């Protein structure tokens, strides 16, 4: 039987404000343990939390960027539970009146087809402290306690581990454009839990849900989900039943392990936090924040397609990171030619591979953009070959020398001089009688072979176009 | 609305309160009376009353995102029942 995978993701996002959500403690991750706390975030009786204006602004930006409806009346609730990383014994969160609901974002499948993924809600809450478990005790650092968090809950609209990965990438890209969070899973500024279940293809009812935790990269999320799909498929095929449970991803072993939590259904006894007044978020406030939103990846993609006549896949590559998009657009604008496709091919071809091989992002390449454009000019005027140009690009990034200098140093000027080329061609024709005969018999591949031989003999410096013309003229 | 001893036990556990059998019996009775009293509200017509989430008619109380001076770790740890270096130390709990 075929099964359909159903995945929903829950993302916790730390907002990068200067201070915590409910007190003025500065957020600084380099700090010594328990040096960024105060009576409010330590949960002392009689203290009064007041929410951070900047955090609310950032949260509304995020909600709008994900096409959510903003709740006009929104309030904080207390989520009650005991755990040592939570000094108040409750977390300030939102229950029945979250900041926003009913949003969505778009992901693209391998064939570039868009798919809409629903976002159930985005709400405000606060982070807990950090626990370090030792042999016989646990150590608590409350520096992280009270950092503003957003919880972003997706609908169970994701149908494969790859879609979950794409959702997270798209989410991160938008958040980076908004500049509201570091979005670093390894550092914990973005955390993701996943709910996954399988059901027979076409079934309406959802299967038994498993909650996955402890993934610390997007790849980890994808790997954990891939493992779970396989595990649950095998259980279903063996006709086994199982209970809803939470499982932890073990990255070393590449498996998920049941948490075997003995606690039954959670009873958080949410109630409105009497210390915090409600927010009334009116239309003028929303309009003002909306007007201040930056151009988001998909708008930028459409603009690149329209203004620079780029294909959708090319535009998509260039806009996925905000800084790379800025770098690319700067190059595109400096490029004097009319057909921007020329410079874009360089960006998503040689430049991107230079960046990848250096483990850098495009915008981190130490490159004089005007020299890049000079270099492309040499290729277009057929003064150097494309192959040589790629070599020069590598050297240019290593040395910051100009294109002209590097061409001279490398003696890479292309030979377009017919007299010089004729000699090489004559030799090649002499040495490859069979290919010559093949070409005369109408095999076009033979021509390419002959051109290749000339290129080889000239150490890549012959102008292939001129060579092709010359060979044709001789043989036809 | 009535409340049985099992529910009281559950609430006591959630509140991390240990109750003796006698106290359990006494509290169950008292809670039953309190809930009965609160139950009177359901006899009122409150269809036209907006739910109250806060007793004061104030909204949008916010503060600027400017840092204050935090406590020194020494001060923060002053009331800790147990500490280790600059950390609070607690019995080991792994959920
Ligand atoms: Zn504080």
């Amino acid at each position: 039987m075929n099964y359909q995978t159903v995945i929903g993701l829950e993302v916790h996002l730390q907002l990068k404000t200067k201070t915590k959500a409910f007190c003025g403690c500065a957020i600084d991750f380099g700090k010594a343990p328990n040096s960024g706390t105060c009576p409010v975030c330590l949960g002392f009786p009689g203290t009064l939390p007041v929410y951070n204006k900047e955090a609310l602004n950032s949260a509304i930006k995020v909600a709008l960027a994900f096409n959510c409806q903003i709740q006009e009346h929104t309030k904080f609730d207390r989520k009650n539970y005991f755990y040592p990383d939570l000094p108040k014994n409750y977390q300030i969160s939102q229950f029945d009146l979250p900041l926003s609901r009913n949003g969505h974002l778009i992901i693209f499948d391998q064939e570039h087809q868009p798919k809409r993924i629903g976002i159930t809600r985005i709400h405000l809450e606060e982070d807990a402290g950090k626990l370090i478990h030792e042999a016989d005790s646990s150590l608590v650092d409350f520096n992280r306690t009270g950092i503003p968090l957003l919880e972003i809950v997706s609908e169970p609209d994701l149908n494969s581990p790859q879609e979950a990965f794409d959702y997270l990438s798209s989410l991160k890209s938008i958040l980076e454009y908004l500049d509201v969070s570091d979005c670093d899973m390894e550092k914990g500024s973005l955390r993701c839990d996943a709910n996954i279940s399988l059901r027979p293809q076409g079934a309406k009812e959802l299967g038994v849900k498993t909650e996955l935790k402890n993934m610390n990269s997007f790849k980890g999320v994808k790997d954990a989900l891939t493992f779970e799909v396989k595990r649950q498929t095998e259980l279903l095929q063996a006709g086994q039943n199982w209970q809803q449970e939470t499982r932890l991803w073990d990255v070393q072993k590449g498996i998920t392990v049941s948490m075997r939590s003995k606690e039954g259904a959670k009873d958080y006894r949410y109630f409105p936090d009497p210390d915090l007044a409600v927010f009334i978020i009116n239309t003028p406030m929303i309009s003002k924040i909306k007007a201040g939103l930056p151009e988001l990846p998909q708008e930028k993609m459409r603009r690149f397609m329209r203004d620079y006549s780029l294909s959708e896949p090319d535009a998509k590559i260039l806009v996925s990171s905000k800084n790379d998009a800025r770098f690319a657009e700067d190059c595109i604008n400096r490029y004097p030619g009319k057909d921007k496709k020329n410079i874009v091919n360089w960006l998503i071809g040689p430049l991107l591979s230079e960046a990848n091989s250096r483990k850098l992002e495009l915008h981190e390449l130490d490159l004089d953009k005007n020299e890049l454009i000079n270099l492309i000019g040499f290729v277009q005027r057929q003064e150097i070959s494309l192959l040589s140009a790629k070599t020069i690009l590598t050297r240019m990034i290593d040395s910051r020398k100009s294109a002209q200098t590097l061409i001279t140093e490398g003696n890479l000027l292309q030979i377009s001089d017919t007299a010089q080329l004729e000699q090489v061609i004559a030799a090649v024709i002499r040495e490859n009688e069979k290919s010559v005969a093949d070409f005369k018999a109408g095999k076009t591949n033979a021509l390419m072979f002959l051109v290749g031989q000339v290129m080889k003999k000239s150490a890549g410096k012959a102008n292939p176009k001129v060579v092709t013309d010359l060979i044709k003229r001789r043989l036809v | 609305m009535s409340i049985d001893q099992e529910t009281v036990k559950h609430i006591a556990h959630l509140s991390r309160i240990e109750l003796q059998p006698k106290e359990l019996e006494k509290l169950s009775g008292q809670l039953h009376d309190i809930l009965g009293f609160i139950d009177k509200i359901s006899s009122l017509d409150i269809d036209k009353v907006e739910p109250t989430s806060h007793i004061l008619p104030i909204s949008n109380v916010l503060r600027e995102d400017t840092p204050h001076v935090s406590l020194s770790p020494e001060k923060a740890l002053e009331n800790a029942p147990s500490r280790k270096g600059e950390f609070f130390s607690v019995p080991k709990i792994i959920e």
Side-chain angles (χ1 to χ4, degrees), chain A residues 67-329:
Chain A
N67 312 291
C68 290
Q69 292 160 1
I70 310 279
Q71 194 93 35
E72 200 191 330
H73 267 75
T74 184
K75 67 170 167 77
F76 284 113
D77 300 282
R78 292 184 180 181
K79 179 180 180 181
N80 300 280
Y81 65 96
F82 285 96
Y83 206 62
D85 61 5
L86 194 71
K88 299 191 296 295
N89 294 335
Y90 61 84
Q91 180 194 29
I92 303 177
S93 181
Q94 296 197 290
F95 185 52
D96 57 332
L97 295 175
L99 175 77
S100 60
R101 297 187 230 241
N102 298 334
H104 68 266
L105 68 75
I106 307 286
I107 59 170
F108 293 89
D109 67 15
Q110 309 292 340
E111 279 82 45
H112 303 291
Q113 290 306 306
K115 178 173 174 184
R116 188 181 195 274
I117 309 298
I119 289 175
T120 318
R121 57 188 273 158
I122 298 179
H123 75 240
L124 314 170
E125 55 184 40
E126 58 171 344
D127 211 344
K130 216 182 222 160
L131 288 175
I132 300 164
H133 299 293
E134 296 212 313
D136 49 1
S137 65
S138 294
L139 305 180
V140 198
D141 175 5
F142 288 119
N143 282 352
R144 204 178 68 180
T145 308
I147 289 180
L149 284 188
L150 289 186
E151 183 173 317
I152 305 172
V153 184
S154 89
E155 289 286 306
D157 288 345
L158 300 158
N159 296 117
S160 69
Q162 182 61 43
E163 283 189 7
F165 184 88
D166 292 342
Y167 168 87
L168 288 171
S169 306
S170 173
L171 185 107
K172 182 178 171 176
S173 163
I174 293 170
L175 291 169
E176 273 178 354
Y177 270 64
L178 296 174
D179 199 22
V180 292
S181 171
D182 288 334
C183 298
D184 190 335
M185 257 188 108
E186 267 157 51
K187 289 187 186 137
S189 51
L190 189 155
R191 286 164 245 158
C192 176
D193 298 336
N195 288 311
I196 173 168
S197 62
L198 264 57
R199 63 178 165 195
Q201 205 67 253
K204 280 220 172 87
E205 215 170 300
L206 287 171
V208 180
K209 186 174 81 175
T210 299
E211 191 180 0
L212 299 179
K213 286 178 184 281
N214 202 36
M215 294 82 79
N216 60 8
S217 66
F218 287 0
K219 190 179 170 290
V221 174
K222 189 180 159 184
D223 291 347
L225 286 165
T226 306
F227 176 86
E228 243 347 84
V229 171
K230 189 167 167 279
R231 191 184 71 87
Q232 293 187 18
T233 305
E234 283 166 7
L235 287 175
L236 285 168
Q237 279 166 347
Q240 288 194 41
N241 291 317
W242 69 94
Q243 296 287 310
Q244 183 171 325
E245 62 174 349
T246 300
R247 299 178 72 89
L248 297 181
W249 171 241
D250 182 332
V251 69
Q252 250 83 46
K253 295 192 184 127
I255 56 168
T256 65
V257 185
S258 178
M259 259 177 86
R260 294 184 217 288
S261 169
K262 45 185 186 298
E263 208 155 323
K266 299 270 195 247
D267 190 351
Y268 292 126
R269 293 147 295 139
Y270 284 96
F271 65 86
D273 192 318
D275 284 344
L276 289 152
V278 298
F279 292 132
I280 297 170
I281 301 170
N282 55 25
T283 318
M285 193 171 161
I286 295 171
S287 309
K288 201 178 145 206
I289 294 174
K290 206 172 210 166
L293 284 182
E295 184 184 38
L296 295 172
Q298 271 171 40
E299 294 167 47
K300 200 183 278 289
M301 183 182 87
R302 272 180 234 117
R303 184 170 60 78
F304 275 19
M305 288 164 67
R306 192 180 60 234
D307 290 0
Y308 308 129
S309 309
L310 301 190
S311 71
E312 191 174 290
D314 288 357
K316 216 181 108 206
I317 293 171
L318 293 181
V319 303
S320 67
S321 136
K322 182 187 186 176
N323 289 327
D324 284 356
R326 190 181 300 138
F327 179 95
E329 188 156 30

Side-chain angles (χ1 to χ4, degrees), chain A residues 20 23 25 37-38 41, chain B residues 68:
Chain A
K20 291 185 177 179
C23 64
C25 287
T37 67
C38 72
C41 56
Chain B
H68 66 192

Side-chain angles (χ1 to χ4, degrees), chain A residues 18-21 23-25 33-35 37 50-53 75 82-83 132-134 137-140 142 259 266-267 269 274 276 278-280, chain B residues 10 14-16 53-54 58-68 70-73 76-77 79 84 86-95:
Chain A
K18 289 195 200 76
T19 66
K20 291 185 177 179
C23 64
C25 287
N34 293 302
S35 61
T37 67
V50 184
Y51 198 60
N52 185 333
K53 198 180 193 172
K75 67 170 167 77
F82 285 96
Y83 206 62
I132 300 164
H133 299 293
E134 296 212 313
S137 65
S138 294
L139 305 180
V140 198
F142 288 119
M259 259 177 86
K266 299 270 195 247
D267 190 351
R269 293 147 295 139
L276 289 152
V278 298
F279 292 132
I280 297 170
Chain B
H10 176 63
L14 289 173
S15 317
R16 302 297 188 270
S53 57
H54 200 276
I58 50 170
S59 61
N60 298 16
V61 182
L62 291 158
R63 61 174 186 84
E64 295 299 322
D65 185 25
T66 34
H68 66 192
S70 296
L71 295 175
S72 69
L77 287 155
N79 293 320
K84 190 171 178 187
E86 287 182 323
F87 291 97
F88 291 81
S89 173
V90 296
K92 190 169 176 179
I93 298 173
I94 298 178
E95 200 189 321

